[in-house]
């Protein structure tokens, strides 16, 4: 086992996942019902005596509940290590941070790879579609379970930010702040188009078996790899990709290979990203998550008027975007901000200059950390953390 | 047969393809040799007595020699109908316009679907890689065959514009003007990344059979469809896609289907584009064309200095880009313009405001047509056409 010899001092250190099973049935937006479900989660920091310092972190498309710290035997920390830990924006010396794996996921919460109690076999393609609203419901039950009446903040980037927004709409009394980072009030046609190509790549893979690949002892590895390669292009800005790889090639600088093996460094990167994803992610989950993204549109219920949709929200908002993010660009965040202002909600907005593209929300970008830290210090002071 | 009852008066009307076989061997940049090859081509307008009014049009990734007018029994005109015809920028009342299918293509010129004379079977995966420089060579032989010593202009958009640029570098005496539209001096890492995902989609399709699908009586239809769907996203701007499809859905406006069939209009569009492409295009050709794009980098031979690469050019240049083109953005065209200015070449540059994205070069955008027409009228006057 190769564990890091010493962990960074601003890390929460070694972490263990927890899980809780809920027996109460859950009605989903799709009309289906789950008779019960499990949520896997992690927590960092300590819940204070009056239970006022809890922050819910929501994960994005391919994330899970391992948001910070190190698992025994793993070298890579959680996905939001840049923002969770002692002295970081979500300061674990002050906050009790909770992150759960969304249902439909594949890392411990009930999802397509879980056993369907009515059949005794894995759900696979039979797992119902889930939406951002469904996730908010399940996370509220987790809050109940943990004895948290009101979150000091609900925070997330990308699809995680959409969950924070939905929390503010659906359960306005149960959060004081919504931290919405690199998100959008709804997907654009281009966003949906990329998701559709990814889904087609998975679903047209002969190893997909209409989603029953596990039962067939198979896996749509090729389709999932293609989906992830494509996703990665949209997570990075053109500039970041150019700076990272340019036209760098393997082999002699002035000699083209005239073959289809890896030649340019960016090809190598994408293939590696695609292949390693296949080892850790489930294709049915990927399909579900992309549909949850496509369907997210809280303004649809109010005739497309986001301000009206947000009118009942009581949270204060921090909205953040990154200049080079072309997946959910600043204009999408500004639309959220505008709707909040139109309905007289308190909102802080920061448009961070960063070259990393959409992935910037995962990175230790100094200005981003500084803005986020300042905001959360105010939240901590409010709740006496 | 359903032919249009009456053709638009500014169309070249019904056209018939021609073809010519060259027996002389062709050495390719890859080191391979073709013992001979056929070029399919079309011509529009009339070659004048002193053979001075000929314009070569070069096609892009998925184009062919059918650039204008109508084929008997087809409703759709050639791919550059917006710019070729009586009174259009490439005015067929004045110019003799020639367009050939590139070798490696799949519409009549020698390519993977042609019979390999040494085996008596289709080349398939054995067809050697071809480059932009190789295409220029073959087009020069077509010029010889047609008795054209000097083109009044060589013109193209996207990969076609790259051929125009390469013509100016490789055969400076044989063209008076190079018309380089929506092109780039080389692909970015992001461009290469998209091409790589497209190639992986094709090559990982079990029906690909290592490129010998025709011999196996098969076709990597799924992979080719995915490649085309992905391509289409990059041809349109986000704004154009949003304007065209938005989040429009089939069925009830407030009801999600919670299934994976077509729901959003953009999904329907992409699937249709992908499927119809499979009927008319060869997967091995698609692979070859994307590699030709990736390899294109005329400045590589001069240590990355494009101005030095262009120093020997004698053509005058028209360079055009479109504001919403994110595949080959204006910044890429400006790089070409800067290099031309640095080596004291005459160049006209127009950055056209257009919302269509990369596809704008195929569209009848008024300002684009006006700039292009004005430039070509000057060319026509010079050659007495």
């Amino acid at each position: 086992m190769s564990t890091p010899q010493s962990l960074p001092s601003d890390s929460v250190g070694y972490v263990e996942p927890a899980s809780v099973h809920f027996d109460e049935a859950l009605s989903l937006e799709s009309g289906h019902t789950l008779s019960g479900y499990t949520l896997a989660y992690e927590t960092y920091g300590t819940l204070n005596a009056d239970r006022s310092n809890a922050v819910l972190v929501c994960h994005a498309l391919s994330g899970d509940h391992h948001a910070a710290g190190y698992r025994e035997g793993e070298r890579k920390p959680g996905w939001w290590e840049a923002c969770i830990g002692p002295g970081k924006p979500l300061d674990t010396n002050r906050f009790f941070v909770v992150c759960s794996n969304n249902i439909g996921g594949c890392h411990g919460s009930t999802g397509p790879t879980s056993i369907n109690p009515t059949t005794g076999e894995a759900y696979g393609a039979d797992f119902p579609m889930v939406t951002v609203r469904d996730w908010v419901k399940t996370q509220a039950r987790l809050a109940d379970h943990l004895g948290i009446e009101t979150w000091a903040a609900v925070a997330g980037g990308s699809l995680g930010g959409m969950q924070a927004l939905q929390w503010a709409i659906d359960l306005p009394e149960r959060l004081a702040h919504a931290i919405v980072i690199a998100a959008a009030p709804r997907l654009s046609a281009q966003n949906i188009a990329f998701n559709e190509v990814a889904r087609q790549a998975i679903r047209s893979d002969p190893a997909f078996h209409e989603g029953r690949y596990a039962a067939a002892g198979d896996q749509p590895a090729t389709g999932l790899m293609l989906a992830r390669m494509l996703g990665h292009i949209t997570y990075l800005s053109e500039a970041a990709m150019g700076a990272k790889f340019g036209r760098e090639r393997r082999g002699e600088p002035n000699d083209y290979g005239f073959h289809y093996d890896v030649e340019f460094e960016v090809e190598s990167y994408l293939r590696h990203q695609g292949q390693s994803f296949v080892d850790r992610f489930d294709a049915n989950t990927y399909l579900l998550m992309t549909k949850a993204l496509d369907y997210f549109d809280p303004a649809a219920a109010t005739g497309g008027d986001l301000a009206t949709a947000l009118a009942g929200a009581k949270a204060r908002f921090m909205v953040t975007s990154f200049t080079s993010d072309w997946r959910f660009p600043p204009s999408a965040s500004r639309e959220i901000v505008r709707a909040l202002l139109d309905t007289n909600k308190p909102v802080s907005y920061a448009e961070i200059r960063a070259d990393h593209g959409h992935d910037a929300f995962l990175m230790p970008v100094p200005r981003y950390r500084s803005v986020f830290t300042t905001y959360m210090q105010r939240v901590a002071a409010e709740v006496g953390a």
Side-chain angles (χ1 to χ4, degrees), chain A:
Chain A
M1 201 164 74
S2 65
T3 56
Q5 290 306 296
S6 68
L7 299 181
S9 62
D10 64 351
S11 172
V12 298
Y14 288 109
V15 294
E16 295 270 2
S19 83
V20 55
H21 185 80
F22 298 91
D23 288 322
E24 199 190 333
L26 180 76
S27 299
L28 301 171
E29 225 184 324
S30 68
H32 290 84
T33 300
L34 285 180
S35 58
Y37 62 94
T38 296
L39 286 187
Y41 64 98
E42 288 186 3
T43 68
Y44 324 106
T46 309
L47 188 60
N48 61 8
D50 58 0
R51 299 171 177 273
S52 63
N53 70 335
V55 172
L56 175 68
V57 164
C58 306
H59 69 73
L61 181 60
S62 61
D64 58 28
H65 52 298
H66 181 37
Y70 294 80
R71 294 258 178 88
E72 191 74 27
E74 292 182 5
R75 284 187 194 189
K76 246 183 100 177
W79 57 267
W80 221 7
E81 183 73 3
C83 293
I84 302 169
K88 293 181 184 172
L90 300 176
D91 187 344
T92 48
N93 290 332
R94 309 184 77 174
F95 292 110
F96 175 62
V97 178
V98 179
C99 183
S100 63
N101 187 208
N102 289 348
I103 59 164
C106 53
H107 288 102
S109 291
T110 301
T113 58
S114 308
I115 299 300
N116 180 347
T118 63
T119 65
E121 291 180 15
Y123 281 99
D126 293 329
F127 198 85
M129 282 201 191
V130 285
T131 66
V132 171
R133 298 190 69 177
D134 294 331
W135 289 332
V136 169
K137 271 187 179 179
T138 62
Q139 290 157 352
R141 288 198 190 166
L142 178 62
D144 296 341
H145 167 77
L146 296 172
I148 297 159
E149 178 57 33
T150 306
W151 298 103
V154 176
S158 193
L159 179 54
M162 293 168 174
Q163 291 165 65
L165 199 62
Q166 193 74 54
W167 260 94
I169 294 169
D170 289 353
L171 297 166
E173 313 286 352
R174 299 198 66 177
L175 70 165
H177 294 266
I179 314 291
V180 181
I181 302 172
R186 77 191 67 79
L187 265 61
S188 69
Q190 189 189 71
N191 291 149
I192 295 172
F194 277 120
N195 281 346
E196 167 66 3
V197 176
R199 284 191 294 263
Q200 286 293 316
I202 292 168
R203 294 179 51 81
S204 66
D205 186 329
F208 181 65
H209 301 279
E210 294 293 321
R212 299 174 203 293
Y213 46 87
D218 211 344
Q219 188 200 16
T222 299
L224 188 56
M225 188 186 87
L226 289 169
R228 182 63 168 178
M229 289 172 75
L230 178 52
H232 258 281
I233 300 178
T234 71
Y235 305 149
L236 296 180
S237 67
E238 179 168 35
M241 231 179 202
K244 204 165 176 179
F245 307 107
R247 292 177 55 85
E248 286 305 309
R249 282 180 297 113
R250 298 176 160 202
E252 295 300 309
N254 275 313
D255 243 14
Y256 289 126
F258 299 106
H259 56 63
Y260 293 106
D261 295 337
V262 162
E263 224 176 330
F264 292 93
E265 286 299 337
V266 70
E267 297 173 321
S268 167
Y269 168 80
L270 284 182
R271 290 193 198 184
H272 172 74
Q273 292 293 337
Q275 277 155 1
S276 67
F277 191 62
V278 167
D279 297 332
R280 71 175 177 88
F281 215 81
D282 175 63
N284 281 319
T285 288
Y286 201 83
L287 294 175
L288 291 175
M289 298 285 154
T290 62
K291 283 299 262 191
L293 273 167
D294 290 4
Y295 287 152
F296 180 73
D297 185 10
T302 51
D305 184 354
L306 188 60
T308 306
L310 285 162
K314 299 192 169 170
R316 279 155 289 164
F317 290 81
M318 182 185 101
V319 178
T320 303
S321 68
F322 300 93
T323 50
S324 61
D325 183 351
W326 60 281
R327 189 179 172 93
F328 297 143
S331 57
S333 283
R334 272 187 250 119
E335 205 182 321
I336 297 170
V337 172
R338 204 174 306 119
L340 289 166
L341 294 175
D342 283 350
T343 184
N344 298 311
K345 300 286 179 277
V347 53
S348 297
Y349 176 57
E351 198 167 304
I352 308 287
R353 188 173 298 275
D355 287 337
H356 315 72
H358 186 59
D359 265 0
F361 87 87
L362 299 166
M363 310 270 186
V365 178
R367 175 88 185 123
Y368 163 47
R369 276 179 61 152
S370 140
V371 164
F372 195 1
T373 298
T374 303
Y375 192 92
M376 292 309 299
Q377 280 172 346
R378 220 175 58 208
V379 175
E382 279 171 22
V383 299

